[in-house]
Amino acid sequence: MAGKKMSKSQIIVGETVVCPVPPDAAQYGTEAKYKRGSRNDYFIVPLGSTLQAWRDSDKRIRMATGRDPTHSDAILIADALTPYRLLTEVMYTLGQTEFSKFHMMVLQGGSKQGSGP
């Protein structure tokens, strides 16, 4: 199961940073240089390449252990303020690399400050 994390500034798979998150990600997602054709595309190329390596490894493990090799699961960890556009790009890229089941975790903001005794 591959773990993907989206922070306010980057997309991470495992321990590897695959691309930065631009300040205008809410409107446009990742930058055009990280996509196949234009900024309007939903497939994030460096994320797809990294995920494909994870998928190929998982497929071999699944075949060797007698489990269904036709799909893989992913854990998607996102900040509570992750833009919807960015989230859909990551989920689209996951789907294109045969990750068909997602487990989503949302990181909430910092703890509330107490007002004292």
Side-chain angles (χ1 to χ4, degrees):
M1 187 177 303
K4 287 134 228 46
K5 181 179 179 184
M6 290 178 289
S7 73
K8 294 176 186 176
S9 61
Q10 55 197 0
I11 298 173
I12 304 165
V13 177
E15 300 295 321
T16 305
V17 175
V18 294
C19 71
V21 173
D24 60 353
Q27 185 172 4
Y28 300 109
T30 56
E31 295 177 59
K33 66 183 178 182
Y34 299 110
K35 307 244 182 112
R36 292 183 286 202
S38 73
R39 198 158 188 194
N40 293 327
D41 192 353
Y42 275 76
F43 188 85
I44 304 169
V45 174
L47 177 59
S49 298
T50 302
L51 291 174
Q52 193 60 61
W54 280 76
R55 170 68 180 122
D56 292 343
S57 176
D58 188 54
K59 188 185 294 186
R60 285 190 300 275
I61 292 168
R62 286 175 172 274
M63 289 174 71
T65 58
R67 295 184 353 212
D68 181 7
T70 60
H71 72 280
S72 293
D73 298 354
I75 298 172
L76 184 56
I77 304 169
D79 183 274
L81 300 176
T82 299
Y84 180 75
R85 169 68 193 224
L86 183 62
L87 186 60
T88 56
E89 287 182 3
V90 170
M91 291 186 340
Y92 178 82
T93 304
L94 280 164
Q96 293 296 299
T97 52
E98 298 179 332
F99 284 86
S100 59
K101 188 174 185 180
F102 312 135
H103 305 272
M104 181 170 269
M105 297 174 63
V106 178
L107 300 174
Q108 299 297 321
S111 62
K112 294 181 181 180
Q113 296 286 331
S115 58

